[in-house]
Amino acid sequence: MSVQLIKGNTAVIVGALYAGCDCYFGYPITPASEILHEASKYFPMANRKFVQAESEEAAINMVYGAAAAGHRVLTASSGPGISLKQEGFSYMAGAQLPCVIANIQRAGPGLGNIGPEQADYNQVVKGGGHGNYKNIVLAPNSVQEMCDLTIKAFDLAFKYRNPAVLLSDGVLGQMMEPLKFPEKAIEHKVDTSWAVAGNAETKKNLVTSIFLNFEQQELFNVKLLEKYEKICENEVIYEEYLTEDADIILVSYGISSRISKSAVEAAREKGYKVGLFRLITLYPFPKKELLKLATEKNRVFVAVEMSAGQMRDDLALAIECKRPVELVARYGGNIIEMDAILKKIEEIYEKVDF
Amino acid sequence: MSERFNLLTPGHSGCAGCCDALAAKYVLMGVGEDVIVVNPTGCLEVMTSPFPNTAWNVPWIHSLFENGGAVASGIEAALKSLGRKGNTKIVGIGGDGSTMDIGIGSLSGAFERGHDILYVCIDNEAYMNTGNQRSSGTPLGASTSTSPPGSVSYGNPTHKKDMTRIMAAHGSPYVATTSIGYANDMIRKVKKAAETVGPTYIHSHAPCPTGWGFDSSKTIEIAKLAVETCLWPLYEMEDGEVTQVRKVKDPKPVEEYLKAQKRFRHLFKMEDGDKEIEKIQKQADRNIEYYGLNK
């Protein structure tokens, strides 16, 4: 198995190539551009298609077109670009088209800056475009997972015919770590049961999101909701670290979860019983598992995120507000410091008698 | 004139030999201070406006990447509605990515509606602010971070989009091409465009030392070479007709322009690279013929 020291953004392209992705459509934006660069370099070499679009909106609609034709398609961007793509997200969810979108989050709102943030959480996890739909959302926390979860995102996107988002950030996109290359490559075959592949076999298939009849539109919504329920039942992924006896459970994802893990270790050394619940799927959100942790013991939860409590709100809902939920957050391109988490832990121990 | 020199102050964070800084300076020298500048995202915006500093001594508004034309339209309409338009010129200054790719729809709308604005495209032929990706302003054969030459590519596979004529086709009363290598010509044309009522357009060729790969002392030299090889013809169009052309007495071969830049270096090394250079020479020959550059 080959191991290489590579950038997180490059790992997305490695994952995509191994996942059988055969089309990349993109547009430049920092800090996601290396995904575009690597695609422009490696996709033609591997006999796959690369097109640089004239805008974010064009890129996402190229994704729509190729996905409708049954291809495995990837695009990537960052905050402002993801905002521009929202119409496409909604249309693809509405037309039940599989695709993978990588969001290498930067600081906002507006133009913001090119530092890392996790403040696209609501936009990506709640939908972002119009209508009753959800994206499947995966949150890597290492260069290895930038690759592995890209492959997983393709699996899920095709399993459920739904957009899947790799929600990453500027740190993970830009940093370098050793990547173990996947052991096998997936060979993509067009699914003729729904795609419109320009041949006789798929002539009767229809890709659309328009139902002028209100009843039909409602029925379609119900069908989508049933699909999302199945996703919630079957596809939750998370990681627990020293949660069993923990008084305080840090809940985090992405780059913040790496800092949280260090905080857990430092806190344990000081004798505090702290654990980490790391979210890997943000949608579906691991509600049952978090509720169980909240119910079995008197505990305090701490959301650790580079956004203004966006994930914390989902956490509070998941545990049905049974326990206090505190927040450690940074914004504007700043990264959470381990000491800030430790300070919060000490504050909680001063207040709460576990 | 001396006051006009200070409308864009030094001390911004542009690279040495930056084309945007020169182009923006010439634009303000041509337009004067009765102006509101609309500046979509790009190098120029980033390097001149790191909060809380600014290099602009005129009213300046930053818009998003795709909407310079719309923001300029809004300002013009609002001033008219308030009865305060007067002679104030609303001037959009965007790069090639913002103007020719993502912002062309918004700009087309502004020109079709006929707002009294001037729009200047500073064309450095790729997305320099995000790391040198190709745009529809990138010329044939140029290596960029998304058009790398290699076993299946000679670099950018397409010619530049003819943006100036697209804007002329909107019925603009005045469009012109300029080059930062010809300051007086550029300032004169900008002045003329600003004084013309209605939507007017200036497209300026602007060599970028960082993205194109040449020494930062050579910006003007490279700009002049593009004109001297006839790859960048300088002309004016009024109401859709070409009215003025800058003649080039003895056009130089395009190699002189290409070999001075790293982004074309592969064409001189690759097998069959000479065929690509021939295609580029054909483009120059077409310009000579079409605009009568050597007559």
Side-chain angles (χ1 to χ4, degrees), chain B residues 218-266:
Chain B
K218 304 238 185 275
T219 304
I220 300 300
E221 205 173 293
I222 300 284
K224 283 187 188 292
L225 270 173
V227 173
E228 288 162 358
T229 53
C230 297
L231 280 170
W232 188 249
L234 295 175
Y235 62 87
E236 291 166 85
M237 291 176 79
E238 288 173 54
D239 297 319
E241 299 296 328
V242 177
T243 50
Q244 283 281 343
V245 172
R246 186 186 180 92
K247 304 287 179 190
V248 182
K249 223 179 178 184
D250 295 306
K252 292 179 175 169
V254 295
E255 278 94 338
E256 284 196 33
Y257 175 66
L258 303 178
K259 74 185 177 199
Q261 305 169 49
K262 208 172 161 189
R263 63 176 177 156
F264 294 113
R265 194 166 290 169
H266 58 282

Side-chain angles (χ1 to χ4, degrees), chain A residues 134-339:
Chain A
K134 294 283 188 185
N135 303 307
I136 297 165
V137 186
L138 300 166
N141 82 348
S142 64
V143 168
Q144 186 66 48
E145 284 191 355
M146 292 287 274
C147 170
D148 296 349
L149 291 183
T150 297
I151 298 172
K152 180 81 186 162
F154 273 104
D155 284 349
L156 293 175
F158 274 79
K159 185 171 173 187
Y160 294 99
R161 286 178 55 198
N162 200 74
V165 181
L166 188 80
L167 189 65
S168 179
D169 61 71
V171 179
L172 288 166
Q174 299 293 321
M175 73 184 192
M176 293 181 93
E177 281 182 331
L179 173 76
K180 268 190 208 161
F181 275 55
E183 278 175 11
K184 59 169 195 223
I186 295 158
E187 205 175 314
H188 176 54
K189 284 195 186 78
V190 174
D191 184 344
T192 51
S193 70
W194 57 266
V196 280
N199 54 25
E201 205 183 347
T202 61
K203 196 177 172 184
K204 285 188 178 158
N205 290 343
L206 177 68
V207 174
T208 184
S209 67
I210 180 171
F211 298 96
L212 290 178
N213 178 296
F214 295 0
E215 306 301 327
Q216 278 178 355
Q217 184 73 56
E218 188 172 48
L219 275 176
F220 177 69
N221 268 266
V222 170
K223 197 177 141 193
L224 277 185
L225 297 177
E226 284 167 2
K227 176 165 87 175
Y228 301 143
E229 237 169 72
K230 249 188 231 165
I231 293 173
C232 288
E233 265 168 39
N234 300 319
E235 307 300 346
V236 166
I237 315 173
Y238 60 93
E239 210 175 68
E240 285 187 71
Y241 180 61
L242 306 177
T243 51
E244 208 172 319
D245 66 337
D247 299 324
I248 295 174
I249 293 182
L250 308 179
V251 181
S252 191
Y253 69 97
I255 194 66
S256 303
S257 69
R258 300 263 293 249
I259 301 153
S260 299
K261 193 172 181 183
S262 304
V264 166
E265 280 159 7
R268 288 269 170 183
E269 266 174 37
K270 290 185 174 184
Y272 300 118
K273 288 180 184 169
V274 181
L276 168 67
F277 190 101
R278 182 196 153 210
L279 307 162
I280 298 176
T281 53
L282 299 175
Y283 185 86
F285 199 85
K287 281 184 190 165
K288 264 186 253 165
E289 295 75 10
L290 283 161
L291 182 61
K292 183 170 164 275
L293 288 172
T295 319
E296 65 191 15
K297 188 176 177 307
N298 179 27
R299 286 180 156 133
V300 173
F301 288 79
V302 181
V304 183
E305 56 181 311
M306 280 144 50
S307 57
Q310 296 186 23
M311 184 269 289
R312 175 205 49 199
D313 295 352
D314 273 353
L315 170 60
L317 277 176
I319 63 167
E320 296 171 1
C321 300
K322 284 181 195 297
R323 303 289 174 202
V325 179
E326 302 273 340
L327 174 68
V328 177
R330 287 300 297 272
Y331 330 104
N334 294 301
I335 297 167
I336 295 163
E337 282 169 20
M338 193 183 76
D339 286 350

Side-chain angles (χ1 to χ4, degrees), chain B residues 163-204:
Chain B
M163 188 67 189
T164 314
R165 299 186 77 90
I166 292 173
M167 297 322 289
H170 280 75
S172 168
Y174 182 80
V175 304
T177 57
T178 61
S179 161
I180 59 166
Y182 296 82
N184 289 334
D185 179 75
M186 181 163 174
I187 294 164
R188 177 184 68 78
K189 285 171 176 169
V190 169
K191 190 165 185 288
K192 192 167 171 186
E195 284 167 1
T196 305
V197 177
T200 53
Y201 182 79
I202 298 281
H203 197 108
S204 191

Side-chain angles (χ1 to χ4, degrees), chain B residues 111 115 120 123 149 163 172 188 208-209 288:
Chain B
F111 272 57
H115 293 278
V120 182
D123 183 2
M163 188 67 189
S172 168
R188 177 184 68 78
C208 165
I288 294 169

